[in-house]
């Protein structure tokens, strides 16, 4: 597929099924980013901050699952894609950790009640999986397949959200902090690039449709818990709004932000993807646009500062 770029130069052909995946080791400077990086909107800010809360440990878990499966994969192209996936997710986890340390904790917002148990879970997982493999290789395989199916479901949403944030010019119009917007759009672009990897790993490990549906349902509940629970957890601790944000006020503010376009409508977005993701013949390459992701990466200040040419 060819598609004109913004500067009029022809883009190289992109295979949406197998786009090249490479890690870009970029970094962000948070020294000028205010706590409410969606200006004047703590609810919208903390709603997206809830992703920062779960992503560092979440993405480390994605990596563990894929690494567990890797010795069982024979396809050299998928092995190469796994390498790119792991590299990208490592940089993502580190970048979101920077937001937790340098913006949230620096402003007195405690995050360890969420990140601590998640980190412990990741630290304990290799021994737990090894013990299970020793006891019953069949149960280990079933367990790993379920986890891969859950990660594939979450990766569907990270790609869809990535496309949303790249295409959403209303965030710029609302005056969202440019450094944060670049982090979210760079991450979103790479999520679009590697959107098929975990799905393909799941299938290569013998994953089938019923487990995909079950894991999607569990993941959906997790995502609602992470988004709603995370937003309320952060709002409760925000020193500028502490004790003044009740649930109905937070909900009204969220609805206003959805109308303004600074946050996605999470009920429509998450449930609305069910007919897409649950189509038995679905493959992630059918959604989102790699050329659009590359187009963004071409202009991403952080990627450009690190000297990456996306083509
Ligand atoms: Fe990621
Ligand atoms: Fe991802």
């Amino acid at each position: 597929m060819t598609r004109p770029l913004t500067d009029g130069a022809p883009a190289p052909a992109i295979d949406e099924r197998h786009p090249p995946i490479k890690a870009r080791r970029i970094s962000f400077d948070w020294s000028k980013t205010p706590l409410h990086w969606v200006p004047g909107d703590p609810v919208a800010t903390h709603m997206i901050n809830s992703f920062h809360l779960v992503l560092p440990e979440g993405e480390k878990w994605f990596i563990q699952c894929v690494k567990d499966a890797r010795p069982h994969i024979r396809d050299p192209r998928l092995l190469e894609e796994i390498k790119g996936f792991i590299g990208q997710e490592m940089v993502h986890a580190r970048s979101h950790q920077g937001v937790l340390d340098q913006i949230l904790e620096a402003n007195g917002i405690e995050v360890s009640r969420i990140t601590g148990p998640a980190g412990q879970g990741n630290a304990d997982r290799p021994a737990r999986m090894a013990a299970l493999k020793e006891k019953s290789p069949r149960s280990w395989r079933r367990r790993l397949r379920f986890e891969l199916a859950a990660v594939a479901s979450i990766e569907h949403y990270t790609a869809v959200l990535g496309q949303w944030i790249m295409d959403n010019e209303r965030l710029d119009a609302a005056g969202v902090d440019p450094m944060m917007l670049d982090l979210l759009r760079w991450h979103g672009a790479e999520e679009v690039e590697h959107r098929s990897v975990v799905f393909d790993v799941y299938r290569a490990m013998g994953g089938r449709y019923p487990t995909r549906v079950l894991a999607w349902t569990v993941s959906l509940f997790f995502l609602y818990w992470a988004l709603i629970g995370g937003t309320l957890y952060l709002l409760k601790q925000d020193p500028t709004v502490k004790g003044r944000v009740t649930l109905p006020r937070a909900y009204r503010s969220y609805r206003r932000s959805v109308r303004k376009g600074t946050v996605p409508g999470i009920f429509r977005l998450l449930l609305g993807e069910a007919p897409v993701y649950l189509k038995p013949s679905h493959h992630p390459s059918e959604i989102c646009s790699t050329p659009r992701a590359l187009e963004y990466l071409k202009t991403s200040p952080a990627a450009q500062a690190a000297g990456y040419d996306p083509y």
Side-chain angles (χ1 to χ4, degrees), residues 59 62 85 89 92 155 158 187 191 194:
E59 296 189 297
F62 300 173
F85 170 87
E89 296 292 32
H92 298 171
E155 286 282 288
T158 55
H187 187 171
E191 289 300 317
H194 72 227

Side-chain angles (χ1 to χ4, degrees), residues 62-82:
F62 300 173
I63 292 170
Q64 284 194 14
C65 294
V66 168
K67 277 187 172 170
D68 282 353
R70 187 163 54 182
H72 304 270
I73 307 284
R74 296 282 162 264
D75 177 357
R77 181 164 58 181
L78 184 52
L79 285 168
E80 196 54 36
E81 290 169 350
I82 286 173

Side-chain angles (χ1 to χ4, degrees), residues 24 42 51 141 151 167 179 214 218 244 285-286:
R24 300 172 181 86
F51 287 104
R141 214 177 167 90
V151 178
D167 294 342
M179 189 69 69
L214 180 64
V218 174
R244 288 188 290 120
S285 58
E286 294 159 13

Side-chain angles (χ1 to χ4, degrees), residues 31-308:
S31 59
K32 294 192 183 74
T33 299
L35 173 60
H36 296 157
W37 49 265
V38 182
D41 195 339
V43 173
T45 297
H46 290 312
M47 201 174 146
I48 304 182
N49 277 343
S50 62
F51 287 104
H52 297 308
L53 210 49
V54 292
L55 281 171
E57 293 304 331
E59 296 189 297
K60 287 178 199 163
W61 169 57
F62 300 173
I63 292 170
Q64 284 194 14
C65 294
V66 168
K67 277 187 172 170
D68 282 353
R70 187 163 54 182
H72 304 270
I73 307 284
R74 296 282 162 264
D75 177 357
R77 181 164 58 181
L78 184 52
L79 285 168
E80 196 54 36
E81 290 169 350
I82 286 173
K83 204 168 134 194
F85 170 87
I86 291 172
Q88 288 191 339
E89 296 292 32
M90 276 168 67
V91 187
H92 298 171
R94 198 178 60 213
S95 305
H96 288 280
Q97 187 64 49
V99 176
L100 296 182
D101 298 341
Q102 293 167 49
I103 301 181
L104 295 181
E105 295 216 301
N107 280 283
I109 297 176
E110 167 71 60
V111 298
S112 62
R113 258 183 65 197
I114 307 289
T115 57
Q120 194 56 52
N122 276 342
D124 296 343
R125 188 182 170 282
R128 213 171 48 235
M129 289 301 276
L132 183 61
K133 197 174 189 178
E134 172 105 15
K135 195 172 144 209
S136 162
R138 227 176 128 170
S139 304
W140 173 84
R141 214 177 167 90
R142 206 180 308 130
R143 168 82 205 191
L144 180 59
R145 271 203 298 255
F146 183 81
E147 290 191 34
L148 285 167
V151 178
S153 304
I154 298 170
E155 286 282 288
H156 176 81
Y157 286 110
T158 55
V160 168
L161 276 163
Q163 189 76 42
W164 178 85
I165 208 147
M166 281 190 289
D167 294 342
N168 186 356
E169 290 170 2
R170 291 200 284 175
L171 291 163
D172 306 81
V176 170
D177 177 72
M179 189 69 69
M180 187 62 80
L181 206 44
D182 189 28
L183 163 80
L184 296 170
R185 285 178 171 160
W186 153 76
H187 187 171
E190 292 196 341
E191 289 300 317
V192 168
E193 280 186 316
H194 72 227
R195 67 195 184 277
S196 298
V197 176
V198 182
F199 191 92
D200 288 344
V201 170
Y202 171 65
R203 289 225 297 220
M205 291 295 287
R208 299 169 69 149
Y209 185 68
T211 304
R212 174 147 75 90
V213 176
L214 180 64
W216 175 82
T217 311
V218 174
S219 302
L220 191 73
F221 278 104
F222 166 77
L223 286 170
Y224 277 122
W225 170 82
L227 266 167
I228 299 170
T231 307
L232 296 174
Y233 174 76
L234 294 170
L235 277 170
K236 254 192 229 159
Q237 293 189 71
D238 185 322
T240 65
V241 294
K242 229 176 202 172
R244 288 188 290 120
V245 180
T246 58
L247 199 56
R249 278 178 81 174
Y251 183 71
R252 280 197 299 273
S253 177
Y254 154 73
R255 292 300 314 163
R256 269 197 305 276
S257 302
V258 171
R259 283 194 295 275
K260 216 171 144 190
T262 48
V263 294
I266 58 166
F267 298 100
R268 190 186 293 179
L269 179 101
L270 296 184
L271 276 170
E273 285 298 311
V276 178
Y277 189 72
L278 296 182
K279 196 173 72 174
S281 63
H282 171 74
H283 188 271
S285 58
E286 294 159 13
I287 59 156
C288 304
S289 162
T290 307
R292 175 69 189 104
L294 292 173
E295 199 174 74
Y296 178 70
L297 291 165
K298 193 183 175 197
T299 58
S300 157
Q304 295 315 296
Y308 283 106

